[in-house]
Amino acid sequence: MKRILETILVTFAGGVLFTLLHVPLSWMLGPLTAVLLWTSFTKRRLTWPAGMRNAGLALLGYGMGLSFTMESARQISSQLPSMLIATILTVAFSLGAAFLTARYTGVSMASSAIGSIPGGLSQMVVLSEEIEGAETAVVAFMQTIRLLTVIFAVPFLAVHGLAGGAVTAAAGVPPTGSSSTSTGLFSSLVDWGAVIAARPVFFGLIVVIVLASAWIAVRLRFPTPFFLGPILAAGIITVAGYEPPHLPPLFTLLAQWSLGIYMGLGIKLSSLSNWKKLLPYSIAGSIAVVAFSLGLSYLFSKVHPMSLLTAFLSTSPGGMTEMAVTASMVGADVSMVVAYQMFRILFILFIVPYMLRWGFRRFSGGASSRPSRG
């Protein structure tokens, strides 16, 4: 409990500081940064229950699933070819950046490739254990730098560049610096309670459905199941014509806070000894992929009925959760962003590993991959 209390105090300070500095996603990036700095300089170990992280993901997923409509479902189905094209081009560009990184840093091509592809950090680290010539420490370091670069650069560019600095009410949190911010947060909580009291049976049914959807997603081994299950459940309920209650802003803030803590605890900056040589290439490669996504999103916004902001967040090499949170904050089409991000993640998780194994076996003279550790 002492460690959890220390974690709360440290990350609360990070959230408040980033809010005062008007940093996008302040209650996710602030706690994340606070965890990294505190553990790096004090050498103290912070902790956060996985259940709190899962609850935060479920809340975020439910809130964002409410943005799904029948029209968004039709648009998503019509853009499946574009999702495939965007994913293939992003993976190909990432492999190009990986080739340059391997050539000028001396790390193996296998390590550089797996470290550069925009998949989940944990999934790519696990994959590195099954590919001959891949070093787990290198992959973990490169994926960490990619993750940090994207989750800081993309929201900042989306808010202060493409959105012109205007953050909509879709963020779920009143404007920073307003004297009525705290009052607005708690008054909305009271209003939400009144809505629930008016339809307690319907609300109870919604809770059961959301919890069941998360359980089913876990059983089916979905990526980020506690986020993806509730977002699909809420989307289906909304598309079916029902109007489930929206989350109060305070819940959204707490969910982002919990997610930021857990992400910070999962990042290990000391995973590689010769990090100074690899760091600039990892950052440059990550920025290049973000820039490539921006160019790709411009083309997509001209072909499809979607804004440049929505297209950028859809094609950015970030995590589905982080990009969806950013989309809700800047008023982009959350359902479209989630669809593109989910398609890319599933493609990378289920198709890319087989492509990499085949490619490395072919170009390494028939070397086989190491057996899986299960």
Side-chain angles (χ1 to χ4, degrees):
M1 289 301 298
K2 289 183 178 179
R3 292 191 185 277
I4 293 178
L5 180 60
E6 181 180 355
T7 302
I8 292 174
L9 293 176
V10 169
T11 55
F12 179 78
V16 171
L17 177 61
F18 272 46
T19 299
L20 295 176
L21 295 175
H22 301 280
V23 176
L25 297 181
S26 58
W27 281 99
M28 185 170 72
L29 299 183
L32 186 155
T33 305
V35 167
L36 291 178
L37 295 178
W38 186 261
T39 54
S40 297
F41 288 105
T42 67
K43 306 302 180 184
R44 294 178 63 84
R45 184 171 63 87
L46 301 178
T47 186
W48 193 245
M52 296 295 292
R53 176 254 191 182
N54 294 337
L57 285 175
L59 287 174
L60 289 174
Y62 169 78
M64 293 174 190
L66 300 180
S67 65
F68 279 77
T69 63
M70 186 62 70
E71 177 60 27
S72 65
R74 283 193 290 266
Q75 289 185 10
I76 289 171
S77 62
S78 67
Q79 294 192 31
L80 287 176
S82 296
M83 294 179 190
L84 178 61
I85 293 173
T87 299
I88 292 177
L89 291 178
T90 301
V91 171
F93 187 88
S94 299
L95 290 176
F99 173 78
L100 295 177
T101 300
R103 180 177 181 180
Y104 291 105
T105 63
V107 301
S108 68
M109 182 59 194
S111 300
S112 185
I114 302 174
S116 300
I117 292 176
L121 188 152
S122 59
Q123 291 91 339
M124 293 297 103
V125 170
V126 171
L127 177 61
S128 70
E129 299 177 349
E130 304 177 358
I131 300 294
E132 183 69 29
E135 300 177 53
T136 302
V138 173
V139 172
F141 182 83
M142 293 184 67
Q143 285 288 345
T144 297
I145 298 304
R146 181 193 64 79
L147 176 65
L148 288 174
T149 303
V150 170
I151 64 178
F152 276 91
V154 171
F156 184 87
L157 182 57
V159 172
H160 297 289
L162 303 182
V167 178
T168 70
V173 180
T176 306
S178 171
S179 60
S180 61
T181 295
S182 58
T183 303
L185 285 174
F186 289 101
S187 64
S188 65
L189 187 61
V190 173
D191 295 339
W192 184 74
V195 172
I196 301 306
R199 296 192 297 172
V201 176
F202 179 67
F203 173 73
L205 181 60
I206 294 296
V207 171
V208 171
I209 292 175
V210 170
L211 293 177
S213 67
W215 180 82
I216 293 173
V218 171
R219 299 288 294 180
L220 295 178
R221 300 183 182 275
F222 282 5
T224 321
F226 289 96
F227 176 76
L228 194 53
I231 201 172
L232 291 176
I236 292 173
I237 293 173
T238 305
V239 170
Y242 297 97
E243 297 183 3
H246 287 259
L247 290 176
L250 181 61
F251 279 25
T252 302
L253 183 148
L254 292 175
Q256 293 182 15
W257 184 4
S258 178
L259 180 60
I261 294 173
Y262 202 85
M263 289 173 59
L265 292 175
I267 295 174
K268 307 298 180 185
L269 294 178
S270 58
S271 59
L272 194 65
S273 57
N274 60 337
W275 61 271
K276 291 183 180 180
K277 185 177 182 180
L278 189 57
L279 178 62
Y281 289 95
S282 298
I283 295 177
S286 301
I287 294 176
V289 175
V290 172
F292 175 79
S293 299
L294 181 58
L296 190 64
S297 63
Y298 175 78
L299 296 177
F300 276 30
S301 66
K302 297 298 182 182
V303 176
H304 296 294
M306 57 195 305
S307 67
L308 177 59
L309 187 59
T310 296
F312 177 55
L313 294 175
S314 298
T315 58
S316 291
M320 176 172 58
T321 308
E322 294 85 359
M323 297 302 99
V325 171
T326 305
S328 67
M329 182 176 66
V330 298
D333 188 338
V334 176
S335 57
M336 190 64 66
V337 171
V338 169
Y340 268 82
Q341 292 288 338
M342 182 169 61
F343 185 95
R344 177 176 56 79
I345 290 174
L346 292 175
F347 183 91
I348 289 176
L349 290 181
F350 292 106
I351 305 299
V352 169
Y354 297 101
M355 295 172 57
L356 290 178
R357 291 191 186 99
W358 175 83
F360 289 132
R361 280 200 301 265
R362 174 165 181 164
F363 293 105
S364 63
S368 60
S369 63
R370 293 199 297 264
S372 172
R373 298 182 185 180

